Amino acid sequence: MRTVVKLNLNEESQKNLKEYAMRVRSAGIPKKEFHSTIYYSEEIHICNDAETTKKIMSSLPIEISPNYSLDIFGKNCLVLRYENSNVMELEGFLKGIAMGNSKTSYAKFNPHITLGKEFNERHLKFLSLFEKKIIFDSFSWDFYGGKF
């Protein structure tokens, strides 16, 4: 089972990122919906309680200025990396809830949005950067693979 907490893009940001991903689609298979995962664990499952929801909701919306970089994560996934102190704070807050036996599935948090899969790394140097702001206006809390 996995616990995943995601920041969701507003409608305009989804549209702009979809258009960008379609322009670079020859470099990989674009995703249909975009988000930024701020907590992921297959071992430590934190619950979506009122205090946690209030903390996340009070941080929204979060605007990401166009200062991105492209990178490859995992098995040939093209990602749009960004930096934002509010997102880092939320990730630290959620990870802090799980402390004591915290074994998140990543060593260091790298804020990003996955753009597509099956990306050929040789194409990376030919891609233009995404140049529009991104706004996260909601979040989702999901449990996958089993009963909680």
Side-chain angles (χ1 to χ4, degrees), residues 12-113:
E12 182 178 353
S13 297
Q14 279 285 351
K15 177 181 168 276
N16 291 337
L17 212 47
K18 280 181 186 179
E19 289 171 1
Y20 174 77
M22 292 308 289
R23 285 198 310 271
V24 299
R25 73 173 177 247
S26 62
I29 299 169
K31 291 193 65 143
K32 292 185 169 123
E33 293 293 323
F34 300 100
H35 67 271
S36 185
T37 299
I38 56 172
Y39 183 83
Y40 177 92
S41 181
E42 294 179 0
E43 299 171 1
I44 308 300
H45 306 290
I46 55 179
C47 294
N48 185 1
D49 60 20
E51 180 183 339
T52 305
T53 298
K54 182 178 177 182
K55 168 73 173 168
I56 296 172
M57 290 302 293
S58 69
S59 299
L60 299 173
I62 297 173
E63 184 174 315
I64 309 297
S65 298
N67 186 18
Y68 312 109
S69 62
L70 294 170
D71 204 348
I72 310 294
F73 282 8
K75 298 179 181 178
N76 298 324
C77 289
L78 177 65
V79 301
L80 184 71
R81 293 182 67 161
Y82 65 88
E83 293 182 18
N84 183 276
S85 60
N86 292 332
V87 172
M88 295 298 288
E89 181 183 323
L90 285 175
E91 186 271 344
F93 172 74
L94 293 170
K95 200 169 185 180
I97 292 172
M99 289 305 268
N101 50 354
S102 179
K103 294 179 182 174
T104 52
S105 298
Y106 49 88
K108 181 178 181 252
F109 180 59
N110 293 298
H112 69 279
I113 299 168

